[in-house]
Amino acid sequence: MNYLDFEKPLAEIEGKAEELRALARANPQMTVEKEAEALDRKAETLLKDLYKSLSPWQKCLVARHPDRPHCRDYIEALFRDWMPLAGDRNFAEDAAVMGGLARFNDAPVVVIGHEKGHDTRTRIERNFGMARPEGYRKAMRLMELAHRFRLPVITLVDTPGAYPGKGAEERGQAEAIARCTQKCLEIGVPLVAVIIGEGGSGGAVAFATANRVAMLEHAIYSVISPEGCASILWKDAEKMKEAAEALRLTAQDLQKLGVIDRIVKEPVGGAQRGRRETIEAVGRAIEVMLKELVGRKPETLVRDRRQKFLDMGSKGLAA
Amino acid sequence: MNWITNYVRPTINSLFSRREMPENLWSKCPECGTMLFHRELAANLNVCTACDHHMAITPRERFKALFDGGVFTEVRVPEPAADPLGFRDQKKYPERMKAAQKATGEREAMLVAEGEIGRTPIVAAAQDFAFMGGSMGMYVGNALIAAAGRATERRRPLVLFAAAGGARMQEGILSLMQMPRTTVAVQMLREAGLPYLVVLTHPTTGGVTASYAMLGDVQIAEPGALICFAGPRVIEQTIREKLPEGFQRAEYLLDHGMLDRVTHRRRLREELIALVRMLLALPPAVAADLPPPEADAAGPAAPAADPAPQGETKA
């Protein structure tokens, strides 16, 4: 288990329990189970307390936790007949974006999502989930495919942001994001998005301009990273806690603002402590959201999606 | 006492102190260092007369130079909720807003107007970089939607002058939501079959570039304008290497196929007229059927680029 900074007290207790048990394994005549169980209970209560009231900055850390289920895990667990489709037909394949055809509850769909990778090798291969223009152009191509064959689109959003690189800029990162967002607004099929980890700025919007947007309980969705915001507005990157607070990037605040439609509960201790449960909960949310949309006319889907975004922001947070 | 102290002295004082004095009669070109007289600079649309460096121009000045005879009507923009997040960094957001309003004399970072260019009715929107970096918040979103709405309602093309540091952080996620919102506005024009021309000015970056500013039917940029998604500093920090000369400047983007044209500010008006009229299948504008906009009463005459025969110009 990778412990986050704020989980240190928890790591201590769990470590102690583990030590006791190791000791008992070495000396079979020792009876430690009672003490160890007491520690377990203590750890459990502490975990519950910690996660009951995570600060926005702590949520950022949880949302970026390396052990959280990523796009690939969701696709493998929730979809059948996964058929990845590659390339933007212009320049390259971008491994930061997974996309392809699959079956969700037997119905064929198009799935698109950011994939961050799970170890050093795959993280580099996936560019830490930061897509280049090719990733967005591939996504557009797949959305177009979905539109022509009347297949719903499911997007899984998990990116620190679009890749800020020389080549990405030269090949039109901004244009790719703009067109991808435009494509989201054009397709006459149900489009549902789930923000499973980090919803980083424009790179996230390009996938999340959807009829329904769900968000995991401890995921974040923001115009800028708290670190970036702190360094610009506070002139001090260390002020990220304050920035995270001010930006209102938690699922709970975003629901109040009407930016997302539903929150998917995470197990106690976050998605990283209950991957299976989290994935299943996301699956149920997708199912519910799709059910609301399947069968609607293409024009209705497009009109409603546009109206949803036009209306957005009419209510603020009374703070 | 007597009329000299009571009347003459104040009059003389007022002659010296109350005279309309622009704060800086001279400004220095940041590019070549030439000292430029304010009238001369204004007459040249804030372009350096020595090196052609394009300096910032306010939306109002731009509209005065763009519309026939400098005449335009403002289009009302629906007021959004003020400070929707209760945002506070080192200053409160409403305080920053007030400071920006005071400094620019404008309500917000985008101005929308309608009028005629070369006797072709259009709607135009211009972003004001001086107003909190031209940043896109709900007002800017509303402004673009209002502009597109007016354009479709009256069946006019929309010309956008973009200038922005990106989304307005103080409006958090709601500023990010302006990306899809403004994209819907562009789609309204597209579906109505109306031209949407974008002029990218220095600088246009971030979420603005990644939404309505890159979705024009024709993409023009002013020379030297920085146009990007991620700024050069961010990229240098990420890839830890020096970027090539002219990286992310208008000319660089033109070379990389990201723009249709790079056009000098003085020729912009003519080009926009020609483009709009061709896209609307209108006959060519009659050359010089109207005088060029009066830049300044005492400024020099029509710019040299104006092909109008002098005799036909009604001054």
Side-chain angles (χ1 to χ4, degrees), chain A residues 164 166 169-171 174 178-179 182 185-186 205 221 223 233-234 246 248 254 257 306 309-310 312-313 317, chain B residues 84-85 87 89-90 138 145 167 173 175-177 181 187 191 209-210 215 228-230 235 244 248 252 258:
Chain A
K166 177 174 166 282
E169 288 287 321
E170 286 174 343
R171 298 192 300 277
R179 297 260 175 235
Q182 191 174 46
L185 287 162
E186 273 170 9
V205 167
Y221 189 12
V223 64
L233 290 183
W234 277 265
R248 310 280 183 173
L254 296 177
L257 284 166
R306 290 184 190 178
F309 284 92
L310 282 179
M312 214 169 262
L317 275 182
Chain B
L85 305 186
F87 194 96
D89 48 87
Q90 288 169 309
M138 297 213 292
I145 292 166
I173 193 79
S175 68
L176 192 64
M177 290 303 116
R181 280 187 94 217
Q187 279 173 321
E191 272 153 28
T209 323
L215 294 173
C228 60
F229 177 65
I235 297 173
Q248 297 180 322
Y252 196 90
M258 287 298 144

Side-chain angles (χ1 to χ4, degrees), chain A residues 109-122:
Chain A
V109 295
V110 163
V111 195
I112 300 167
H114 305 97
E115 171 56 44
K116 288 180 165 178
H118 58 273
D119 55 21
T120 309
R121 188 183 60 80
T122 52

Side-chain angles (χ1 to χ4, degrees), chain B residues 33-70:
Chain B
T34 308
M35 295 303 286
L36 299 154
F37 191 55
H38 72 107
R39 279 193 191 151
E40 201 183 354
L41 189 59
N44 203 35
L45 305 172
N46 285 9
V47 177
C48 174
T49 48
C51 73
D52 269 345
H53 175 68
H54 285 51
M55 293 174 219
I57 182 166
T58 66
R60 241 165 249 285
E61 288 300 313
R62 192 182 278 282
F63 285 170
K64 257 199 257 171
L66 174 73
F67 287 106
D68 293 346

Side-chain angles (χ1 to χ4, degrees), chain A residues 67-71 73-74 158 196 216 271-272 274-275 278-279:
Chain A
D67 298 337
R68 269 178 96 82
H70 289 161
C71 180
D73 306 312
Y74 288 97
D158 191 13
I196 55 173
L216 275 177
Q272 70 274 21
R275 294 163 57 93
T278 309
I279 293 172

